[in-house]
Amino acid sequence: MRLCPLRWWDLRGLQDIERELFGADGWSESAFWSELAQSDTRYYLAAHTADAITGYAGLAAVDCGVGGGGAVGGAVGGEAFLQTLAVRRSSWGRGVGSALLSAVLAEAARRDAHRVLLEVRTDNLRAQALYCRFGFVEIGRRHRYYQPSGADALVMRRG
Ligand SMILES: CC(C)(COP(=O)(O)OP(=O)(O)OC[C@H]1O[C@@H](n2cnc3c(N)ncnc32)[C@H](O)[C@@H]1OP(=O)(O)O)[C@@H](O)C(=O)NCCC(=O)NCCS
């Protein structure tokens, strides 16, 4: 398995993973295009095996500088948001999710983000356990955050 920047030509292949994991709440291909288009603030990685992408993760570091003080956050740095994290179900439990999360958190640190936030479904205990292992703690809830399902989200913060 190797981690590489996610490219626009990878996007079509993500749709089956997105539907498998998130159903109707999953992102469309155009939503991913929009994310990659914001190249100054976004950082997306894909986990590749020999013949396929098995997972991906995305970070938004909106108020951060790159490796030296934030544009808004100044010397104390800014905030980053974990936009997505997904691993094909057949590859769960092999460390792919941990590797992706480690890599995007390292990039957040490189961009001087002193704090990383994320949302996760309240019923997604597997992902919550992973985030807890990486030092995230619950700081709130968002009612009916996911659409169209109407599922609630936990807000978690690291740092
Ligand atoms: C959440 C998700 C990304 C985890 O991906 P993954 O590749 O299975 O994660 P990992 O293999 O790195 O870690 C999970 C497993 O490793 C084990 N593990 C990894 N590091 C560990 C550590 N330091 N200590 C103990 N256990 C550890 C966990 O116990 C777990 O094992 P399990 O299979 O028995 O549950 C994946 O399940 C997924 O895509 N879920 C659906 C989409 C999703 O929920 N995304 C997050 C949305 S916010």
Side-chain angles (χ1 to χ4, degrees), residues 108-148:
R110 198 183 73 79
R111 295 185 184 210
D112 288 337
H114 64 287
R115 176 179 294 172
V116 180
L117 293 144
L118 62 83
E119 281 101 8
V120 57
R121 278 178 67 124
T122 51
D123 61 0
N124 188 348
L125 302 183
R126 181 181 176 82
Q128 289 169 32
L130 179 68
Y131 297 140
C132 286
R133 276 204 302 278
F134 277 80
F136 285 87
V137 294
E138 178 185 343
I139 58 163
R141 290 180 182 232
R142 296 194 202 283
H143 184 55
R144 298 186 61 78
Y145 176 79
Y146 294 98
Q147 296 297 327

Side-chain angles (χ1 to χ4, degrees), residues 14-15 17-29 31-32 56 83-86 119-124 142-153:
L14 302 191
Q15 280 300 298
I17 305 178
E18 198 68 15
R19 297 297 147 221
E20 176 196 29
L21 299 178
F22 302 112
D25 290 347
W27 286 2
S28 63
E29 192 177 332
F32 278 101
Y56 43 91
Q83 300 287 82
T84 189
L85 173 67
E119 281 101 8
V120 57
R121 278 178 67 124
T122 51
D123 61 0
N124 188 348
R142 296 194 202 283
H143 184 55
R144 298 186 61 78
Y145 176 79
Y146 294 98
Q147 296 297 327
S149 69
D152 294 345

Side-chain angles (χ1 to χ4, degrees), residues 14-117:
L14 302 191
Q15 280 300 298
D16 63 324
I17 305 178
E18 198 68 15
R19 297 297 147 221
E20 176 196 29
L21 299 178
F22 302 112
D25 290 347
W27 286 2
S28 63
E29 192 177 332
S30 62
F32 278 101
W33 272 94
S34 163
E35 284 291 297
L36 290 195
Q38 300 172 70
S39 56
D40 51 339
T41 57
R42 300 308 197 259
Y43 179 75
Y44 273 77
L45 284 176
H48 290 257
T49 56
D51 55 357
I53 288 178
T54 55
Y56 43 91
L59 186 83
V62 178
D63 292 337
C64 307
V66 177
V72 175
V76 297
E79 282 183 346
F81 299 86
L82 185 70
Q83 300 287 82
T84 189
L85 173 67
V87 175
R88 195 184 289 278
R89 196 178 295 269
S90 57
S91 298
W92 283 9
R94 297 181 195 165
V96 179
S98 300
L100 284 164
L101 188 54
S102 292
V104 294
L105 292 177
E107 180 65 15
R110 198 183 73 79
R111 295 185 184 210
D112 288 337
H114 64 287
R115 176 179 294 172
V116 180
L117 293 144

